[in-house]
């Protein structure tokens, strides 16, 4: 048995790990189901954990074909592999989350989203087809228009084992990003700025949710792919290299994430952002994946780990709902250093997380106070007709998950298709999926 966790290091579960290097290995594992497939372990909670059998897919990491931006690859290939292989040739992922260290299968299972959802949608928008091994060990190719294709994108690995997929990449002329940074002083101003820049390809904001004089202050980062005319003379159009990472060997004291220290950290971050406001040319890694520069940054929260709360609220209730969430966090005395706000475009797929509106993601130390606070945030989210991101969930109760009518439909589909007893995770059992 191997002790596993998600990226948040909470909870930890003893799992029997089976490694897949080819289709035959997957078939043998499915014969011994139940199981859940696991990619690079970047789901934050327990979505890729099964005590009986966790199928490690990182051994299936071959790129099979490429033709003018159309890539066929196995599920264990990482987005970082794709970027380092094809960005020097002028191709970049159509949609990417905030880490490049997620597997292709994981990106599909979570239907990950990026800073461009308001224009390009979630990851499913660049997926042409998926080879999926079902409960009968038969491989079926599902594609756009197929019901199972929609359930699989965002289905958290609970519709079968993703073996390989065909995706489309984006043509880019350089590896650089033209970034505009704005320092704003309220949630209302931040939302107004998002709405005024809906034509900008990429947008994301850090926002201060802590109690204090800078509560609601934000740093909005807008971006677009640079073209050669944007580059100074003699700057290479494509610069793709493995950056050295700053190691995080141990956690920081718990008091850093609350009270006076948290207010000081957030205030300093906002003031630095205000000083740097304006337009700048930054490399692709800095803009899309700032946290990847810290090796094992999840250790910052210590041995107990951390939990992330991420909700989405529809556009018509987002402003009021986000304000209430932020006031509740401030009143609790808890806080989040990493609080990220993004604008979503229309919903896509049967069980995908995004909805037209806004999403707020916040990290908290895994302790009783934070878990109690999240129960309050659950209630606020439901009162404003919102939903929750399963790829970040580690503790949501079944009743909260089932408040989303799509969860019941997903569970019913799984039962009818014979998936319920074959593909399970700690999360799916906890949420009654």
């Amino acid at each position: 048995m191997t002790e596993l966790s998600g990226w948040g290091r909470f909870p930890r579960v003893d799992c029997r790990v089976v490694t897949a290097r080819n289709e035959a290995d997957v078939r043998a594992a499915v014969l011994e189901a139940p199981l859940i497939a696991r990619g690079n372990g970047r789901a934050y909670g327990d979505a890729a954990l099964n005590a009986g059998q966790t199928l490690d897919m990182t051994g299936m990491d071959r790129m099979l074909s490429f033709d003018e931006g159309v890539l066929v690859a196995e599920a264990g290939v990482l987005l970082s592999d794709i970027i380092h292989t094809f960005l020097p040739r002028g191709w970049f992922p159509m949609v990417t989350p905030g880490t490049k260290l997620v597997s292709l299968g994981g990106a599909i299972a979570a239907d990950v989203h990026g800073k461009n959802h308001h224009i390009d949608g979630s990851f499913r928008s660049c997926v042409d087809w998926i080879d999926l091994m079902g409960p009968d060990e038969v491989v079926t190719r599902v594609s756009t228009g197929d019901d199972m294709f929609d359930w699989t994108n965002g289905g958290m690995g609970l519709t079968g084992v993703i073996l390989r997929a065909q995706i489309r990449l984006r043509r880019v002329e350089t590896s650089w990003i033209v970034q505009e940074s704005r320092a704003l002083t309220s949630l209302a101003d931040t939302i107004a700025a998002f709405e005024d820049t809906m034509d900008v390809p990429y947008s994301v904001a850090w926002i201060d949710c802590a109690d204090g004089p800078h509560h609601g202050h934000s740093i909005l980062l807008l971006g677009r792919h640079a073209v050669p005319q944007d580059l100074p003379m003699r700057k290479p159009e494509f610069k793709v290299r493995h950056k050295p990472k700053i190691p995080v060997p141990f956690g920081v004291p718990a008091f850093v994430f609350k009270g006076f220290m948290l207010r000081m950290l957030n205030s300093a971050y906002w003031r630095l952002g205000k000083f740097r406001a304006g337009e700048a040319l930054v490399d692709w890694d800095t803009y899309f994946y700032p946290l990847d520069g810290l090796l094992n940054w999840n250790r910052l929260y210590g041995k107990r780990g951390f939990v992330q709360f991420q909700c989405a609220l529809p556009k018509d209730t987002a402003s009021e709902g986000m304000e209430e969430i932020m006031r509740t966090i401030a009143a609790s005395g808890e806080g989040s250093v990493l609080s990220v706000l993004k604008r979503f475009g229309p919903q896509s797929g049967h069980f995908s997380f995004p909805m037209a509106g806004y999403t707020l993601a916040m990290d908290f130390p895994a302790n009783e106070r934070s878990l109690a606070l999240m129960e309050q945030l659950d209630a606020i989210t439901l009162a404003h007709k919102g939903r929750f991101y399963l790829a970040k969930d580690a503790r949501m109760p079944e009743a909260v998950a089932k408040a989303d009518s799509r969860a019941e439909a997903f569970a019913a589909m799984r039962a009818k298709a014979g998936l319920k007893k074959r593909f399970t995770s700690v999360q799916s059992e906890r949420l009654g999926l």
Side-chain angles (χ1 to χ4, degrees), residues 177-218:
I177 299 295
V178 177
Q179 173 185 284
E180 181 190 348
S181 176
R182 301 182 186 180
L184 303 166
T185 58
S186 70
L187 175 63
D189 288 346
T190 305
I191 288 179
F194 272 114
E195 295 299 319
D196 289 343
T197 56
M198 287 290 287
D199 59 336
V200 177
Y202 301 103
S203 58
V204 64
W206 168 87
I207 191 161
D208 187 349
C209 293
D211 188 20
H214 290 288
H215 177 76
H217 284 40
S218 71

Side-chain angles (χ1 to χ4, degrees), residues 165-385:
Q166 178 172 292
I167 65 171
R168 284 166 282 110
L169 305 182
R170 178 192 308 279
R171 171 64 89 177
V172 295
E173 297 182 61
T174 78
S175 63
W176 301 90
I177 299 295
V178 177
Q179 173 185 284
E180 181 190 348
S181 176
R182 301 182 186 180
L184 303 166
T185 58
S186 70
L187 175 63
D189 288 346
T190 305
I191 288 179
F194 272 114
E195 295 299 319
D196 289 343
T197 56
M198 287 290 287
D199 59 336
V200 177
Y202 301 103
S203 58
V204 64
W206 168 87
I207 191 161
D208 187 349
C209 293
D211 188 20
H214 290 288
H215 177 76
H217 284 40
S218 71
I219 303 296
L220 175 65
L221 298 177
L222 306 171
R224 63 173 175 84
H225 291 281
V227 297
Q229 293 84 348
D230 294 315
L231 306 184
M233 290 183 62
R234 293 186 294 278
K235 184 178 277 293
E237 291 182 357
F238 291 98
K239 186 177 181 181
V240 183
R241 61 184 177 86
H242 292 276
K243 286 184 175 180
K245 295 183 178 181
I246 301 171
V248 178
F250 49 79
V252 300
F255 67 82
V256 171
F257 299 109
K258 60 187 301 183
F260 174 76
M261 283 299 298
L262 180 61
R263 291 194 296 271
M264 290 294 291
L265 281 173
N266 284 357
S267 176
Y269 185 79
W270 184 80
R271 290 180 184 280
L272 179 62
K274 183 179 180 181
F275 176 76
R276 292 178 173 176
E279 191 170 284
L281 192 67
V282 300
D283 65 86
W284 60 277
D285 213 0
T286 298
Y287 185 79
F288 289 105
Y289 314 111
L291 286 177
D292 283 353
L294 292 175
L295 185 63
N296 295 323
W297 67 263
N298 56 344
R299 293 179 180 174
L300 286 170
Y301 293 87
K303 292 182 179 180
R304 296 186 67 178
F306 71 97
V307 285
Q308 183 171 104
F309 180 88
Q310 183 166 6
C311 67
L313 298 181
K315 185 173 179 292
D316 59 347
T317 68
S319 181
E320 179 184 348
M322 297 293 181
E323 284 280 12
E324 187 174 352
I325 285 172
M326 291 169 59
R327 286 196 304 270
T328 302
I329 294 170
S332 74
E334 299 300 308
S336 172
V337 177
L338 300 174
S339 300
V340 177
L341 183 68
K342 290 197 288 281
R343 175 69 156 89
F344 276 162
Q347 175 182 328
S348 59
H350 293 330
F351 204 44
S352 294
F353 166 63
M355 57 168 33
Y358 286 85
T359 179
L360 181 63
M362 299 158 290
D363 294 342
F364 298 93
N367 58 45
E368 290 78 7
R369 296 182 305 277
S370 294
L371 295 175
L373 169 62
M374 289 186 173
E375 292 181 4
Q376 298 180 60
L377 304 186
D378 289 343
I380 295 169
T381 300
L382 294 179
H384 290 85
K385 302 179 182 179

Side-chain angles (χ1 to χ4, degrees), residues 110-111 122 124 150 153-154 347-354 387 406:
D111 194 24
S122 53
R124 75 184 298 280
D150 274 336
N153 285 277
Q347 175 182 328
S348 59
H350 293 330
F351 204 44
S352 294
F353 166 63
R387 64 176 60 147
R406 301 175 312 150

Side-chain angles (χ1 to χ4, degrees), residues 20-23 26 57-62 74-77 163:
R21 293 184 173 83
N22 52 50
E23 191 173 309
V26 177
M57 296 295 292
T58 56
M60 293 184 64
D61 60 352
R62 292 168 284 269
E74 291 181 326
V77 170
L163 301 176

